[in-house]
Amino acid sequence: MLWSLAKIILFVLIVSALTLSAGYLMEASGGIQVAFGGMEFNLGALQSVIAGILLIIAVWVLLKLLGLLVAVLRFINGDETAVTRYFSRNRERKGFKALSDGMLALASGEGREAMNKAHQADKYLNRPELTNLISAQAAEMMGDKKTAEKVYKELLKDKRTRFVGVRGLMKQRLSEGNNEVALKLAETAFALKPKHEETQDVLLRLQSEKHDWKGARKTLATKLKTGALPRDVHKRRDAVLALSEAKDLIAEETSIEAREEAIEANRLSPDLIPAACMAARGYIEKGKKRNAVRVLKKAWEVQPHPDLAAVFAEIEPDETPQQRLKRFGTLLGKNADDVESKQLLAELNIAAEDFPAARRALGGLAQDMPNTRTLTLMAAIERGEGAEDAVVRGWLARAVTAPRGESWICDNCNHIHNEWVPICEHCKGFDTLTWRQPPAQMLSTTGLNAEMLPLIVGTPDAPAENAVVPVNEPTAEANTIEEAEVIETEEEQKETSK
């Protein structure tokens, strides 16, 4: 209403100004005298202004006619679109101006303005492959997903814009959590443009989440061929995929294929601890103990880990603690200064009931790097050396509230995992888990986890043949820790009551 009133007022002002100007010109003296071909024309002030305006219009019309004449001549010479271009040139100029304004509005975050400019550009240009993309992105910016989906489907009709349409629909399905449809769209987009790096990454992630390891390995190979992935990174990730495939095959009880895949994964990346463990177990089942030892030693040299020690113990399950201590010397010599090597050596000496040697092997780890495992080992040493129960319980009480030590931690989100997985459970990152200490702000306390001790020892008065027990069986130390928790709670309650 106000805008209509303002336009009326503006129109009245313009008419009034023109009328007033014409009155002044009619009353003004002077003018223009034109002599041509023996004829003389005297024009007043108002007539001179009108003549000047008419002259400008005549020149503009003449230039347009000359342009049309040039277009006709080009058409006669064989340029079939010369006349059409002449008449559409002005529309194209307006259309491209609207298109550029739409792109600027989109970059500025003005979704509605970008949508209007896109419609205006489409009206002048009739080039949907240029305007539909702006319309779709503007609709998404405004939260109008239905309009965006409709525009993306329009882009599918043109071969030149089909990839853009598929990619847009794929992103929509990903945002909705519909990974099944997103995977099919990613496969279609990958078939249209195999070199598109973003599509490669999305397809690889979706295939991994679906456990389509063979498809993921093909996608990874394409990334290598197109130069989107360094060769060393490709080898590592291909090993992760091969290992994941092997784990699935084991779950399906196809052990022969699983062993072959595990050995292939270990060959591709010897430092991949789960692959080394699975490959070594495969060799043990085949009776190839030397191959198992070689695989575990190579992995231990790169990264000592409790899982490697547990599998190394499985090579000779019936040996005595003294024999095991001697045999493990070949493994521990590969990385003797590592914390894991020191803890493992202490554990082996406890199993062999050589408690002074266990104390020497552990060194100052219980004071410098206290965690559940080191403190539990100190409790076992104290008990083995005949210390009082209060001393043993003190170490166990500290173990209850101590940090858990090294764990499988995602490098992207720092999420802690109980066991290695190819895809982070929290951020869905692929091959992002490393065995390390948690960040200081994430140090958490936990009770004794049997998986942290690959060679858990029994009580000092236990029979020698039972000094070393399997990893997954409950231990006396675990039970003692539970007792320590109860004692500590009771003492806190007594202090509170006082």
Side-chain angles (χ1 to χ4, degrees):
M1 183 66 182
L2 292 176
W3 175 239
S4 300
L5 181 61
K7 289 192 289 185
I8 293 172
I9 294 173
L10 181 62
F11 176 74
V12 172
L13 290 175
I14 293 173
V15 172
S16 300
L18 291 174
T19 304
L20 185 61
S21 300
Y24 282 132
L25 289 173
M26 290 179 66
E27 294 176 0
S29 58
I32 298 176
Q33 185 177 23
V34 179
F36 179 75
M39 301 176 64
E40 185 176 305
F41 300 95
N42 294 316
L43 303 176
L46 180 60
Q47 293 172 333
S48 300
V49 172
I50 295 173
I53 293 173
L54 292 175
L55 180 62
I56 292 172
I57 294 173
V59 172
W60 180 80
V61 171
L62 180 61
L63 291 175
K64 289 292 182 181
L65 290 174
L66 287 174
L68 178 60
L69 179 61
V70 171
V72 171
L73 291 174
R74 288 179 176 174
F75 178 77
I76 294 173
N77 288 332
D79 190 350
E80 298 179 355
T81 62
V83 177
T84 305
R85 289 202 312 272
Y86 172 78
F87 286 109
S88 61
R89 189 174 300 161
N90 188 42
R91 293 175 61 84
E92 285 184 354
R93 184 166 56 251
K94 291 180 180 180
F96 282 116
K97 184 180 182 305
L99 187 66
S100 61
D101 290 343
M103 295 176 67
L104 291 173
L106 192 64
S108 303
E110 302 174 21
R112 191 169 299 279
E113 178 67 15
M115 179 74 77
N116 294 333
K117 291 296 182 180
H119 287 323
Q120 185 178 354
D122 185 58
K123 176 183 176 182
Y124 286 118
L125 296 175
N126 194 23
R127 300 276 297 277
E129 68 274 10
L130 296 177
T131 58
N132 279 346
L133 182 58
I134 296 178
S135 299
Q137 293 181 344
E140 286 186 344
M141 187 177 292
M142 294 188 298
D144 189 357
K145 293 184 178 180
K146 289 185 177 180
T147 302
E149 183 176 352
K150 181 181 178 182
V151 176
Y152 283 133
K153 288 181 178 179
E154 288 292 326
L155 291 171
L156 298 177
K157 298 177 181 179
D158 192 335
K159 290 183 178 180
R160 296 172 296 177
T161 60
R162 185 173 298 168
F163 173 78
V164 178
V166 173
R167 179 173 172 267
L169 292 172
M170 177 188 70
K171 286 189 170 184
Q172 281 194 323
R173 297 299 173 266
L174 285 173
S175 64
E176 295 168 1
N178 191 350
N179 289 351
E180 288 291 333
V181 178
L183 175 59
K184 295 179 181 179
L185 291 169
E187 290 172 348
T188 304
F190 182 73
L192 292 172
K193 279 193 175 182
K195 295 183 179 180
H196 194 264
E197 191 169 349
E198 182 190 20
T199 303
Q200 293 173 347
D201 293 336
V202 172
L203 179 58
L204 180 63
R205 178 172 65 83
L206 293 175
Q207 287 173 328
S208 300
E209 289 179 2
K210 195 181 177 182
H211 290 200
D212 180 12
W213 307 118
K214 291 188 181 295
R217 293 184 74 176
K218 291 179 181 178
T219 305
L220 197 69
T222 303
K223 285 177 67 70
L224 177 66
K225 291 178 181 178
T226 56
L229 199 67
R231 187 168 295 278
D232 55 340
V233 178
H234 169 264
K235 285 186 66 177
R236 162 75 184 193
R237 294 187 176 176
D238 192 34
V240 171
L241 293 173
L243 173 63
S244 303
E245 186 176 3
K247 293 178 73 175
D248 282 0
L249 289 171
I250 285 179
E252 297 172 4
E253 299 182 355
T254 52
S255 57
I256 297 176
E257 293 85 351
R259 286 197 296 264
E260 291 176 352
E261 290 290 345
I263 293 170
E264 172 67 10
N266 179 251
R267 186 188 65 79
L268 292 171
S269 185
D271 61 331
L272 187 59
I273 292 170
C277 292
M278 194 176 294
R281 285 192 172 102
Y283 284 129
I284 293 172
E285 290 178 13
K286 292 180 179 180
K288 299 180 179 180
K289 296 182 178 181
R290 289 186 178 181
N291 291 341
V293 170
R294 177 177 53 80
V295 167
L296 294 172
K297 283 183 177 180
K298 193 170 184 179
W300 187 273
E301 189 173 359
V302 177
Q303 175 68 69
H305 192 275
D307 291 350
L308 298 173
V311 179
F312 197 79
E314 293 174 12
I315 296 175
E316 298 292 344
D318 299 325
E319 62 188 348
T320 64
Q322 289 75 18
Q323 291 173 335
R324 177 160 292 180
L325 177 62
K326 182 179 180 181
R327 187 171 62 86
F328 263 78
T330 59
L331 180 68
L332 297 174
K334 294 292 182 180
N335 219 325
D337 294 331
D338 189 84
V339 173
E340 177 60 36
S341 296
K342 294 179 179 179
Q343 293 177 135
L344 180 59
L345 181 59
E347 190 178 339
L348 290 166
N349 279 290
I350 291 172
E353 299 186 4
D354 188 353
F355 300 105
R359 187 184 292 274
R360 290 193 301 271
L362 199 60
L365 289 180
Q367 290 75 27
D368 301 335
M369 301 178 62
N371 57 45
T372 299
R373 185 177 177 187
T374 57
L375 296 175
T376 303
L377 291 174
M378 280 301 301
I381 292 170
E382 294 289 357
R383 173 174 288 180
E385 291 181 341
E388 297 180 358
D389 289 345
V391 176
V392 176
R393 288 177 180 176
W395 286 108
L396 293 175
R398 289 180 59 189
V400 171
T401 57
R404 63 185 294 167
E406 291 181 316
S407 305
W408 288 113
I409 302 174
C410 177
D411 293 332
N412 290 342
C413 64
N414 285 327
H415 182 71
I416 299 176
H417 298 70
N418 291 327
E419 61 179 10
W420 181 89
V421 288
I423 302 173
C424 175
E425 298 169 354
H426 184 258
C427 69
K428 305 303 179 183
F430 178 73
D431 189 26
T432 57
L433 268 63
T434 54
W435 181 257
R436 58 183 174 89
Q437 291 282 352
Q441 67 273 17
M442 294 185 62
L443 288 176
S444 60
T445 59
T446 179
L448 177 64
N449 184 357
E451 294 177 358
M452 297 299 295
L453 300 175
L455 302 171
I456 301 221
V457 298
T459 56
D461 54 349
E465 61 270 19
N466 298 326
V468 180
V469 299
V471 176
N472 56 355
E473 292 184 5
T475 63
E477 281 74 9
N479 296 331
T480 308
I481 284 187
E482 293 178 0
E483 295 174 1
E485 289 178 343
V486 175
I487 294 170
E488 188 178 23
T489 305
E490 291 176 354
E491 291 177 354
E492 290 178 356
Q493 291 175 351
K494 288 180 182 179
E495 291 179 1
T496 304
S497 63
K498 290 180 181 180

